């Protein structure tokens, strides 16, 4: 966990929610009131965000005591209690919504990722996330993918060169794009992996002839063409498949022999897990 990034996120999101005060709690609950609450699971899936919740409670009030029963990455079912938090009643309620918003979203992503990881068992293919994330929540969403057993692709535009179809078209062709990317890295003394997207076998052949890339993204290939592409590449480059891949056909894509399959749906269209924070009387 990047504590500096996480702490800034927590401070910013608390400021967004609390403003000049949680006036409901301030007006109804005595300042010295204490209580206990439990994180109740009302769904089935993979739990994610417990470690983050601990940081949120600590920043809201370092005196809040958290007792964790279920860790990140564990399978959960309806009725499970993930943790209990005890201390200032006002401060528990101040933290409640941020904890739930984050954990429900992260657990939904962790659950979806785990489901796909299970489908890919006994293959050599790993599932990747993408940059199709919620603005401001990318770190949390990619963290949840890891908790679910997936692998993070690049975090942003800064940590990898990924030459897609638009880059190729604007650059004037595949060779020009690859050569320009390599020259850029040399001129700027940067060490970044280079990946390039191809749309057909002809483009793949151009990439292989040019070389100087680390990974080839095979986009929107059907099964037969993907198998052919993997055979042509023959282990010389890391392979990744994307486009038109669903939970119903991902196993068949993996059986074509690619190293990775990227799935934007892990983060852009996932159902949150139902969780709630309930007072313990």
């Amino acid at each position: 966990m990047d504590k500096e990034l996480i702490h800034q996120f927590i401070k910013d999101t608390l400021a967004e929610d609390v403003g000049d005060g949680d006036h409901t709690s301030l007006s109804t609950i005595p300042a010295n009131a204490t209580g206990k609450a439990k994180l109740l699971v009302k769904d089935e899936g993979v739990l994610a965000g417990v470690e983050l919740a601990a940081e949120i409670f600590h920043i809201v009030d370092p005196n809040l005591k958290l007792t964790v029963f279920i860790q990140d990455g564990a399978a959960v079912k309806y009725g499970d209690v993930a943790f209990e938090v005890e201390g200032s009643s006002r401060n528990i309620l101040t933290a409640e919504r941020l904890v739930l918003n984050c954990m429900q979203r992260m657990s939904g992503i962790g659950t979806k990722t785990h489901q796909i990881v299970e489908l890919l068992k006994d293959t050599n293919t790993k599932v990747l996330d993408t940059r199709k994330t919620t603005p401001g929540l990318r770190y949390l969403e990619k963290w949840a993918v890891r908790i679910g057993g997936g692998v993070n692709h690049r975090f942003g535009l800064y940590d990898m060169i990924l030459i897609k179809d638009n880059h190729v078209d604007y650059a004037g062709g595949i060779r020009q794009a690859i050569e320009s990317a390599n020259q850029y890295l040399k001129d700027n003394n940067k060490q970044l992996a280079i990946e390039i997207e191809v749309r057909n076998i002809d483009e793949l052949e151009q990439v292989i002839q040019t070389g100087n890339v680390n990974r080839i993204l095979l986009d929107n290939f059907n099964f037969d063409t993907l198998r052919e592409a993997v055979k042509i590449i023959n282990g010389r480059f890391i392979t990744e498949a994307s486009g038109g891949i669903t939970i119903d056909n991902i196993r068949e894509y993996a059986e074509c022999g690619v190293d990775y399959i990227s799935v934007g749906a892990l983060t852009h269209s996932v159902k949150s897990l139902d969780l709630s924070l309930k007072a313990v009387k």
Side-chain angles (χ1 to χ4, degrees):
M1 176 173 57
D2 184 334
K3 282 207 171 187
E4 183 178 352
L5 186 153
I6 288 298
H7 286 188
Q8 189 59 56
F9 165 80
I10 293 170
K11 289 172 184 175
D12 289 344
T13 48
L14 283 173
E16 175 186 62
D17 197 29
V18 177
D20 69 345
D22 173 5
H23 298 303
T24 308
S25 295
L26 291 171
S27 65
T28 60
I29 300 172
N32 61 352
T34 60
K36 181 188 289 187
K38 62 183 179 182
L39 194 288
L40 182 63
V41 179
K42 301 166 70 178
D43 212 337
E44 188 172 317
V46 171
L47 192 67
V50 175
E51 190 177 355
L52 173 63
E55 293 297 319
I56 293 171
F57 284 123
H58 181 75
I59 286 179
V60 169
D61 180 355
N63 294 315
L64 290 176
K65 180 185 176 185
L66 188 69
T67 304
V68 176
F69 306 120
I70 304 175
Q71 300 288 348
D72 285 328
V76 291
K77 62 185 185 304
Y78 188 96
D80 283 345
V81 175
F83 58 71
E84 289 183 348
V85 59
E86 189 171 4
S88 165
S89 300
R90 285 182 175 181
N91 290 337
I92 289 172
L93 292 174
T94 296
E96 174 187 11
R97 181 44 52 195
L98 180 56
V99 166
L100 289 174
N101 284 348
C102 292
M103 287 195 66
Q104 288 177 315
R105 178 76 178 159
M106 290 180 69
S107 296
I109 292 169
T111 299
K112 186 73 165 181
T113 304
H114 178 73
Q115 185 180 11
I116 291 175
V117 168
E118 287 295 301
L119 288 173
L120 299 185
K121 264 188 174 178
D122 306 320
T123 73
N124 293 318
T125 305
K126 294 180 172 60
V127 63
L128 289 172
D129 54 24
T130 71
R131 285 172 52 240
K132 296 175 182 177
T133 54
T134 309
L137 296 181
R138 180 171 296 173
Y139 185 89
L140 304 189
E141 292 179 349
K142 283 180 170 281
W143 185 3
V145 167
R146 296 197 305 276
I147 290 172
V151 178
N152 292 148
H153 205 297
R154 58 178 180 162
F155 263 77
L157 297 171
Y158 59 86
D159 59 344
M160 184 182 196
I161 288 180
L162 175 45
I163 304 168
K164 302 199 80 176
D165 52 358
N166 283 338
H167 299 99
V168 168
D169 292 341
Y170 285 143
I174 285 174
R175 178 177 293 276
Q176 295 93 321
I178 293 174
E179 290 178 349
S180 293
N182 279 278
Q183 189 63 48
Y184 173 86
L185 292 179
K186 182 179 179 181
D187 292 344
N188 290 277
N189 193 30
K190 288 187 175 294
Q191 293 185 338
L192 299 174
I194 297 177
E195 179 173 10
I196 186 164
E197 176 185 275
V198 297
R199 294 165 283 192
N200 50 56
I201 296 296
D202 178 62
E203 290 187 346
L204 173 61
E205 296 284 8
Q206 291 179 55
V207 170
I208 291 173
Q209 289 167 14
T210 306
N212 292 317
V213 300
N214 305 98
R215 184 183 299 187
I216 299 176
L217 173 59
L218 304 153
D219 190 49
N220 283 300
F221 280 46
N222 61 38
F223 298 128
D224 290 339
T225 311
L226 186 59
R227 280 189 286 269
E228 180 185 356
V230 170
K231 187 175 180 181
I232 291 169
I233 293 167
N234 193 29
R236 288 174 287 177
F237 304 93
I238 297 168
T239 54
E240 176 186 338
S242 72
I245 300 172
T246 69
I247 200 163
D248 296 320
N249 62 23
I250 194 167
R251 173 78 188 197
E252 193 168 354
Y253 273 99
E255 289 172 346
C256 292
V258 291
D259 299 304
Y260 294 102
I261 295 176
S262 50
V263 180
L266 291 182
T267 52
H268 73 57
S269 56
V270 69
K271 178 182 176 292
S272 293
L273 209 68
D274 192 1
L275 308 170
S276 64
L277 195 69
K278 293 295 184 183
V280 177
K281 298 179 180 180

